[in-house]
């Protein structure tokens, strides 16, 4: 309904030269700004920004706080305190929304969080440096490598080891919804040669003998009770030379009125600890958390 109205406004503005009309005919500038804002509230952010270009009345209506309050996540105050500096609560809600749609780093630059511009839903990346990797301090087994292929410009690279274990924990106020968690991994070490991407597979071995085990568990709603089902499954790492998102599992955040601002605690891991054979040639970039409907595109 409102999209149709938006189209109608666009056509009307085009015919009337953006609201400049003869004195005998009403134009878009004659509409009350609060009335326009009440309509914009029901549109998606990209549609609001397009309609704001019609004239100054629509532009003013597009800055109404109650319009953007409805687009921000229910936990946006936690998010603002976590990743924005200064005194952002004094900013217009539209400006807060715009800032949260940019990648915002926190925890010493080891994590990033941002909102999807269209839906306002939360996405998060966790760097390999925020994970507990067994043996990471021993350069015989692991190295941190600089790369342009990571948002964090660094990846963890396994040369060779018998015991592979990577653990992560997170406590965050996610808005209600269903989320998916992925490890972003690659078999093989990529580099540039004559301006072309090449991937060295010399050290890739051991991943086709036994599967990697992924695990995910959550504690939420302030009850202190861990979910009855801890997600766990095995997966062989077979594809080489490209980054793959391996799904660990899904989790649901379902706040009631009493626990609306309670953070969700997440524990996740991947391991291959069969010491009968060595494993090597694995690149670990990050952990990715997104709404499940977006995660379907990564599978």
């Amino acid at each position: 309904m409102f999209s149709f109205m938006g189209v109608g406004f666009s056509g009307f503005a085009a015919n009337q030269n953006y609201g400049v009309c003869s004195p005998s005919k009403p134009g878009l500038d004659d509409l009350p700004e609060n009335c326009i804002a009440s309509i914009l509230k029901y549109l998606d952010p990209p549609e609001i920004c397009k309609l704001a270009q019609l004239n100054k009345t629509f532009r003013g209506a597009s800055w109404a706080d109650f319009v953007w309050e409805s687009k921000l996540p229910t936990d946006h105050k936690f998010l603002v305190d976590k990743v924005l500096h200064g005194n952002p609560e004094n900013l217009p809600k539209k400006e807060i929304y715009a800032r949260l749609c940019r990648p915002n780093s926190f925890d010493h630059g080891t994590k990033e969080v941002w909102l999807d511009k269209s839906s306002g839903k939360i996405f998060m990346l966790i760097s390999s440096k925020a994970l507990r990797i067994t043996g990471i301090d021993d350069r015989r087994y692991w190295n941190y490598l600089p790369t342009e292929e990571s948002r964090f410009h660094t990846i963890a690279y396994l040369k060779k080891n018998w015991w592979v274990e990577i653990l992560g924990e997170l406590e965050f106020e996610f808005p209600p919804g269903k989320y998916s968690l992925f490890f972003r991994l690659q078999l093989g070490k990529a580099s540039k040669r004559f301006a072309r991407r090449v991937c060295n597979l010399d050290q890739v071995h051991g991943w086709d003998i036994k599967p990697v085990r992924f695990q995910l568990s959550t504690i939420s709603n302030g009850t202190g009770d861990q979910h009855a089902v801890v997600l766990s499954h095995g997966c062989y790492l077979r594809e080489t030379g490209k980054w793959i998102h391996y799904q660990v599992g899904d989790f649901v955040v379902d706040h009631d009125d009493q626990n609306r601002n309670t953070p969700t605690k997440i524990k996740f891991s991947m391991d291959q600890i069969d010491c009968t054979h060595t494993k090597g040639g694995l690149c670990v970039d990050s952990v990715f958390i997104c709404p499940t409907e977006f995660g379907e595109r990564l599978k």
Side-chain angles (χ1 to χ4, degrees):
M1 172 181 175
F2 292 108
S3 296
F4 172 79
M5 293 181 69
V7 173
F9 284 141
S10 300
F12 185 78
N15 293 334
Q16 299 295 337
N17 194 21
Y18 288 92
V20 179
C21 313
S22 63
S24 60
K25 295 181 180 180
L28 290 180
D29 284 332
D30 296 317
L31 291 172
E33 193 173 288
N34 62 342
C35 178
I36 296 173
S38 297
I39 296 173
L40 296 182
K41 178 182 178 180
Y42 294 95
L43 303 181
D44 292 332
E47 295 175 311
I48 296 172
C49 294
K50 287 179 181 178
L51 289 174
Q53 301 174 30
L54 288 178
N55 56 39
K56 63 180 181 181
T57 306
F58 273 76
R59 185 163 54 252
S62 73
W63 279 90
D65 272 354
F66 74 86
V67 171
W68 294 95
E69 184 81 34
S70 66
K71 309 303 174 188
L72 287 165
T74 54
D75 68 334
H76 74 273
K77 291 184 179 180
F78 166 84
L79 197 57
V80 164
D81 292 339
K82 189 79 172 176
V83 302
L84 299 184
H85 305 291
N87 194 14
E89 279 297 336
N90 293 331
L91 293 172
K93 292 295 190 291
K94 182 177 182 180
E95 180 65 22
I96 293 176
Y97 188 88
R99 292 191 183 191
L100 292 178
C101 285
R102 307 167 192 164
N104 294 281
S105 62
F106 63 103
D107 284 358
H108 308 290
T110 61
K111 300 180 180 72
E112 283 187 356
V113 64
W114 67 96
L115 302 183
D116 175 63
K117 291 181 180 179
S118 296
S119 66
K121 295 189 175 183
I122 281 185
F123 292 73
M124 185 181 294
L125 270 182
I126 303 172
S127 166
S128 59
K129 287 195 172 182
L131 307 176
R132 298 200 309 272
I133 302 176
T134 302
I136 191 66
D137 296 324
D138 194 328
R139 298 191 64 182
R140 293 174 300 172
Y141 308 125
W142 288 90
N143 278 332
Y144 282 117
L145 302 178
T147 178
E148 297 177 357
E149 297 187 353
S150 171
R151 285 270 288 270
F152 299 100
H153 308 293
T154 303
I155 59 171
Y157 178 68
L158 172 66
K159 294 185 285 187
K160 180 181 178 181
N161 206 347
W162 286 265
W163 186 287
V164 178
E165 186 178 38
I166 303 173
L167 308 171
E169 291 187 27
L170 175 70
E171 186 170 340
F172 200 83
E173 282 189 24
F174 287 95
K178 187 176 182 181
Y179 298 85
S180 297
L181 187 145
F182 299 83
F183 271 94
R184 186 173 186 253
L185 310 173
Q186 177 180 263
L187 292 180
K189 182 166 58 174
S191 62
K192 287 285 185 70
R193 185 177 301 168
F194 302 113
R196 296 183 60 185
R197 184 184 192 270
V198 295
C199 199
N200 187 327
L201 306 180
D202 291 347
Q203 293 180 315
V204 176
H205 70 283
W207 304 106
D208 57 343
I209 300 175
K210 290 289 180 67
V212 169
R213 183 181 61 168
F214 293 105
Q215 284 191 310
L216 171 66
S217 63
T218 61
I219 303 174
S220 59
N221 291 337
T223 62
D225 296 326
Q226 189 160 331
H227 286 185
V229 178
V230 177
L231 299 176
S232 178
H233 69 96
C235 177
Y236 285 94
L237 309 186
R238 289 196 172 99
E239 293 196 60
T240 60
K242 64 179 181 179
W243 291 102
I244 304 293
H245 286 88
Y246 291 91
Q247 186 172 11
V248 179
D250 299 334
F251 63 94
V252 176
V253 178
D254 185 16
H255 296 315
D256 56 30
D257 291 338
Q258 294 180 346
N259 299 297
R260 181 172 296 177
N261 299 318
T262 302
T264 299
K265 297 179 181 180
I266 306 169
K267 293 184 179 181
F268 50 89
S269 66
M270 63 168 286
D271 61 62
Q272 217 289 27
I273 54 179
D274 186 336
C275 294
T276 61
H277 64 285
T278 61
K279 285 74 67 175
L282 175 67
C283 293
V284 181
D285 172 33
S286 57
V287 169
F288 181 48
I289 300 174
C290 66
T292 298
E293 61 266 31
F294 291 88
E296 292 294 327
R297 307 171 190 175
L298 297 178
K299 294 182 181 178

